[in-house]
Amino acid sequence: MTVDARSTARARIEQALDRFFDDRVRAGAAYGPDFSDLWARGAEHARGGKLLRPRLFLEAVEAFEATEGPHDPVGQESVDSLAAVIEILHFAFLLHDDVIDGDVVRRHRPNLIGTIRDLHPEAPAASSLHWGSSAAILMGDLLLSSAVLRCARLPLPGPVHARVLDLVDEAITETVAGEQLDVGLGDGAIAPDLSTVLSMTTLKTATYSFALPLRLAGALSGAGPRVDATLAEVGRDLGFAFQVQDDLLTMFGDPAAHGKDVLSDLREGKQTVLVAFLRSTERWHEVADVLGAPALREADADRVRTVVQECGARDFAEHLVAERLREVMVGLDRSLLADPVRRVITDCVERIEGRDA
Amino acid sequence: MTVDARSTARARIEQALDRFFDDRVRAGAAYGPDFSDLWARGAEHARGGKLLRPRLFLEAVEAFEATEGPHDPVGQESVDSLAAVIEILHFAFLLHDDVIDGDVVRRHRPNLIGTIRDLHPEAPAASSLHWGSSAAILMGDLLLSSAVLRCARLPLPGPVHARVLDLVDEAITETVAGEQLDVGLGDGAIAPDLSTVLSMTTLKTATYSFALPLRLAGALSGAGPRVDATLAEVGRDLGFAFQVQDDLLTMFGDPAAHGKDVLSDLREGKQTVLVAFLRSTERWHEVADVLGAPALREADADRVRTVVQECGARDFAEHLVAERLREVMVGLDRSLLADPVRRVITDCVERIEGRDA
């Protein structure tokens, strides 16, 4: 996709998000100023993202259209609405993830919870935080149900519509299953085996971030089951590589560039591939006491970084990323995908390989 | 509705719930034992209700069918699915309400949060409670999205389908707006004026509990805008009267019969019509210190009961119930509703008047 095409895609997604939120803010106004305010703040926070997922979707739609030549295409408004739905689902998942993790900051700024908490500085701290996190639960519910309702109302041909609903259903189910594993690992209710951490990584992020956009684009162009199966597999592999790369960047990258809070992840005892590998080595006891400790400090984080590096966890994770990306390329070679669609996927591979933030 | 018809209705709803949950438990099994277990426990807790809302819906559907004589009715499976959707939405709202209120008990038994918390007695208490309440957030998300997806997939004629989606959308929006008011009143972020408490009561419960079932039944029979407007108004009034009656029963009724925990409501500082009225009287200072206090005890609750009675709040609430039910009857007299539909509504009025649990 050219730079021009990319900025057009961004503008289309932003307009579709505006249409979605304008509509909801208007409907919400009937229920008083607090509810209007919740929608307005939700909209503001939802619009701050990089739009990775809907952009991948639009690129894939364009690639399928280029492949098929003249046919009966789905209207652009439906395509753009579905791009907005993908971003809204992502934001709804983030909101409930932040509630579950007790996070009040995202990308160096207060998230929706932190913003609403800070509106009443005169109230007791516990009440303000409760007001903020309850707002995030409720906004997540509104976004999740509105996103699904938006899909339900798309004017698509019957079989395409049924397929879109199935894919959205599957993505929500898998994401929640992955989130549940993540919570259980953090709370000690699920044993932190490396294999569980690997499947959590795929379910929680990879499916909705990469497999869903690719498969929805396929569904709109009437792709058959074999093409869909390739898109699902390739999407999960891309998403897995993306997430492990993300864990590597959070641990070893520049916080000013990636905007993640490594201390907060380490204090929560977040189970990443790096931590799960480290746990399986004899160096684990050197940091077992600080990982998951609320009092963990920058010096402890440095020690964790050194041990993760020296025990081989970093190498292991880097190899995992490279291996999955290779599997994507092998999967593509064996697939029925046409060249423009292949190119969308090889672009993703290159972006993940070259990622530094 | 006869006793026979009522038990048939219950059986139909239970079968539709079984179909819904069997389907989801089966789909969930692909994601490992913890996720299957979550669905199985969610299903178990969801199936314990009195089914008031879906029973009202089925009664109303039957009444509209009796009215219209032979026409092209919506298939029974769609009707029953929609009855299950109504109950599932109710349960999803309860789950997130319990998370927000920090409740671990419902009707004298551990709720889903309490049940999942107690699965790991060896874990630290904070981790177990976090695992339980996170599970309730995630189960609520799954139920909310699945309920909307179930509506999206109903094989209904186009205009009826669009109307059903609009009504479900409106009910979710209103319920969340009411829940937000309730949370804001409890956290001191919204001023507890009597009028705010009255509108919270309608939004949070009345709309989805009474207006939604009646209006959905109307929509399935192709009711026009005037009939729909009557059903909306009557439903909100019935639901408001039901909820205020509920608040009265919780405060003055027999806990063994109604199963509510009055101490927990008083400790949370729950803003009911009774409390809001009391606040506007000069007797407020006598209990202001114990209402909302986590240390509130049975003797304090007795004092609150006495003051609520003596300040006139109980009389006020009882008059409110009677007045709204009278408005329902006046609204019916002026309406275009046919006799069988009228009878469903007058039955509701009688049940609310005679309610003691």
Coordinates of all heavy atoms in Angstrom, one line a residue, chain B residues 323-354:
Chain B
E323 N -49.6 4.7 43.0 CA -49.9 5.7 41.9 C -49.4 5.2 40.5 O -50.1 5.4 39.6 CB -49.1 7.0 42.3 CG -49.3 8.1 41.5 CD -48.3 9.2 41.9 OE1 -47.1 9.1 41.5 OE2 -48.7 10.2 42.6
R324 N -48.2 4.6 40.5 CA -47.8 4.1 39.2 C -48.6 3.0 38.6 O -48.9 3.0 37.4 CB -46.3 3.6 39.3 CG -45.3 4.7 39.4 CD -45.2 5.6 38.1 NE -44.4 6.7 38.4 CZ -43.1 6.8 38.0 NH1 -42.6 5.9 37.3 NH2 -42.4 7.9 38.4
L325 N -49.1 2.2 39.5 CA -50.0 1.1 39.1 C -51.3 1.7 38.6 O -51.9 1.2 37.6 CB -50.2 0.1 40.2 CG -48.9 -0.7 40.5 CD1 -49.2 -1.7 41.7 CD2 -48.3 -1.5 39.3
R326 N -51.8 2.7 39.2 CA -53.0 3.4 38.8 C -52.7 4.0 37.4 O -53.6 3.9 36.5 CB -53.4 4.5 39.7 CG -54.8 4.3 40.3 CD -55.4 5.4 41.2 NE -54.4 6.4 41.7 CZ -53.9 6.3 42.9 NH1 -54.2 5.3 43.7 NH2 -53.0 7.2 43.3
E327 N -51.6 4.6 37.2 CA -51.3 5.2 35.9 C -51.2 4.1 34.8 O -51.6 4.4 33.7 CB -49.9 5.9 35.9 CG -50.0 7.3 36.5 CD -48.6 7.9 36.7 OE1 -47.6 7.6 36.1 OE2 -48.6 8.8 37.6
V328 N -50.8 2.9 35.2 CA -50.8 1.8 34.2 C -52.2 1.6 33.8 O -52.5 1.5 32.6 CB -50.2 0.5 34.8 CG1 -50.4 -0.7 33.9 CG2 -48.7 0.7 35.0
M329 N -53.2 1.5 34.7 CA -54.6 1.2 34.4 C -55.2 2.3 33.6 O -55.9 2.1 32.6 CB -55.4 1.0 35.7 CG -54.9 -0.1 36.6 SD -54.7 -1.7 35.7 CE -56.5 -2.1 35.5
V330 N -54.9 3.6 33.9 CA -55.4 4.7 33.1 C -54.8 4.6 31.7 O -55.5 4.8 30.7 CB -55.0 6.1 33.8 CG1 -55.3 7.2 32.9 CG2 -55.7 6.2 35.1
G331 N -53.5 4.3 31.6 CA -52.8 4.2 30.3 C -53.5 3.1 29.4 O -53.7 3.3 28.2
L332 N -53.9 2.0 30.1 CA -54.5 0.9 29.4 C -55.9 1.4 28.8 O -56.2 1.1 27.7 CB -54.7 -0.3 30.3 CG -53.6 -1.2 30.6 CD1 -54.1 -2.4 31.3 CD2 -52.9 -1.6 29.3
D333 N -56.6 2.1 29.7 CA -58.0 2.5 29.3 C -57.9 3.4 28.0 O -58.8 3.3 27.2 CB -58.6 3.3 30.4 CG -59.2 2.3 31.5 OD1 -59.3 1.1 31.2 OD2 -59.4 2.8 32.6
R334 N -56.9 4.2 27.9 CA -56.8 5.1 26.8 C -56.1 4.5 25.5 O -56.0 5.1 24.5 CB -55.9 6.3 27.2 CG -56.5 7.2 28.2 CD -55.8 8.6 28.1 NE -56.1 9.3 29.3 CZ -55.2 9.8 30.2 NH1 -53.9 9.6 30.0 NH2 -55.6 10.5 31.2
S335 N -55.7 3.2 25.7 CA -54.8 2.6 24.7 C -55.6 1.9 23.6 O -56.8 1.7 23.7 CB -53.9 1.7 25.3 OG -54.5 0.5 25.6
L336 N -54.9 1.5 22.6 CA -55.5 0.7 21.5 C -55.3 -0.8 21.8 O -55.6 -1.6 20.9 CB -54.8 1.0 20.2 CG -54.8 2.4 19.7 CD1 -53.9 2.6 18.5 CD2 -56.3 2.8 19.3
L337 N -54.8 -1.2 22.9 CA -54.4 -2.6 23.2 C -55.7 -3.5 23.2 O -56.7 -3.1 23.8 CB -53.7 -2.8 24.5 CG -52.3 -2.1 24.6 CD1 -51.6 -2.4 25.9 CD2 -51.4 -2.5 23.4
A338 N -55.6 -4.6 22.6 CA -56.7 -5.6 22.6 C -56.8 -6.3 24.0 O -55.8 -6.3 24.8 CB -56.5 -6.6 21.5
D339 N -58.0 -6.9 24.2 CA -58.2 -7.5 25.6 C -57.2 -8.5 26.1 O -56.7 -8.4 27.2 CB -59.6 -8.1 25.6 CG -60.7 -7.0 25.8 OD1 -60.3 -5.9 26.2 OD2 -61.9 -7.3 25.5
P340 N -56.7 -9.4 25.2 CA -55.8 -10.4 25.8 C -54.5 -9.7 26.2 O -53.9 -10.1 27.3 CB -55.5 -11.3 24.6 CG -56.7 -11.2 23.7 CD -57.1 -9.7 23.9
V341 N -54.0 -8.7 25.5 CA -52.8 -8.0 25.9 C -53.0 -7.2 27.2 O -52.2 -7.2 28.1 CB -52.3 -7.1 24.7 CG1 -51.0 -6.4 25.1 CG2 -52.1 -7.9 23.5
R342 N -54.2 -6.5 27.2 CA -54.6 -5.8 28.5 C -54.5 -6.7 29.7 O -54.1 -6.4 30.7 CB -56.0 -5.4 28.3 CG -56.3 -4.0 28.2 CD -57.8 -3.8 27.8 NE -57.8 -3.0 26.6 CZ -58.0 -1.7 26.6 NH1 -58.2 -1.1 27.8 NH2 -57.9 -1.0 25.5
R343 N -55.0 -8.0 29.5 CA -55.1 -8.9 30.6 C -53.7 -9.3 31.1 O -53.5 -9.4 32.3 CB -55.9 -10.2 30.2 CG -56.8 -10.6 31.3 CD -58.0 -11.4 30.8 NE -57.9 -12.1 29.6 CZ -58.8 -11.9 28.5 NH1 -59.8 -11.0 28.7 NH2 -58.6 -12.5 27.4
V344 N -52.7 -9.4 30.2 CA -51.4 -9.7 30.6 C -50.9 -8.6 31.5 O -50.2 -8.8 32.6 CB -50.4 -9.8 29.4 CG1 -49.0 -9.8 29.8 CG2 -50.8 -11.0 28.5
I345 N -51.2 -7.4 31.2 CA -50.7 -6.2 31.9 C -51.5 -6.1 33.3 O -50.8 -5.8 34.3 CB -50.8 -4.9 31.1 CG1 -49.8 -5.1 29.9 CG2 -50.5 -3.7 31.9 CD1 -50.0 -4.1 28.8
T346 N -52.8 -6.3 33.3 CA -53.5 -6.2 34.6 C -53.1 -7.4 35.5 O -53.0 -7.2 36.7 CB -55.0 -6.2 34.4 OG1 -55.4 -7.4 33.6 CG2 -55.5 -5.0 33.7
D347 N -52.7 -8.5 34.9 CA -52.1 -9.6 35.7 C -50.9 -9.1 36.4 O -50.6 -9.4 37.6 CB -51.8 -10.8 34.9 CG -53.0 -11.7 34.6 OD1 -54.1 -11.3 35.1 OD2 -52.9 -12.7 33.8
C348 N -50.0 -8.4 35.7 CA -48.8 -7.9 36.3 C -49.1 -6.9 37.4 O -48.5 -7.0 38.5 CB -48.0 -7.1 35.2 SG -47.1 -8.1 34.1
V349 N -50.1 -6.0 37.2 CA -50.4 -5.1 38.2 C -50.9 -5.9 39.5 O -50.4 -5.5 40.6 CB -51.6 -4.2 37.8 CG1 -52.1 -3.3 38.9 CG2 -51.1 -3.3 36.6
E350 N -51.7 -6.9 39.3 CA -52.1 -7.6 40.5 C -51.0 -8.3 41.2 O -50.9 -8.4 42.4 CB -53.2 -8.7 40.1 CG -54.6 -8.0 39.9 CD -55.5 -8.9 39.1 OE1 -55.4 -10.2 39.2 OE2 -56.5 -8.4 38.5
R351 N -50.1 -8.9 40.4 CA -48.9 -9.6 41.0 C -48.1 -8.6 41.8 O -47.6 -9.0 42.9 CB -48.1 -10.3 40.0 CG -48.7 -11.6 39.5 CD -47.7 -12.5 38.8 NE -47.2 -12.0 37.6 CZ -47.7 -12.4 36.4 NH1 -48.6 -13.3 36.3 NH2 -47.2 -11.9 35.3
I352 N -47.9 -7.4 41.3 CA -47.0 -6.5 42.0 C -47.7 -6.0 43.3 O -47.1 -5.9 44.3 CB -46.7 -5.3 41.1 CG1 -45.8 -5.7 39.9 CG2 -45.9 -4.2 41.9 CD1 -45.5 -4.7 38.9
E353 N -49.1 -5.8 43.2 CA -49.8 -5.4 44.4 C -49.8 -6.4 45.5 O -49.6 -6.1 46.6 CB -51.3 -5.1 44.0 CG -51.5 -3.7 43.4 CD -52.9 -3.6 42.8 OE1 -53.6 -4.6 42.6 OE2 -53.4 -2.4 42.6
G354 N -49.8 -7.7 45.1 CA -49.9 -8.7 46.0 C -48.6 -9.3 46.4 O -48.5 -10.4 47.1

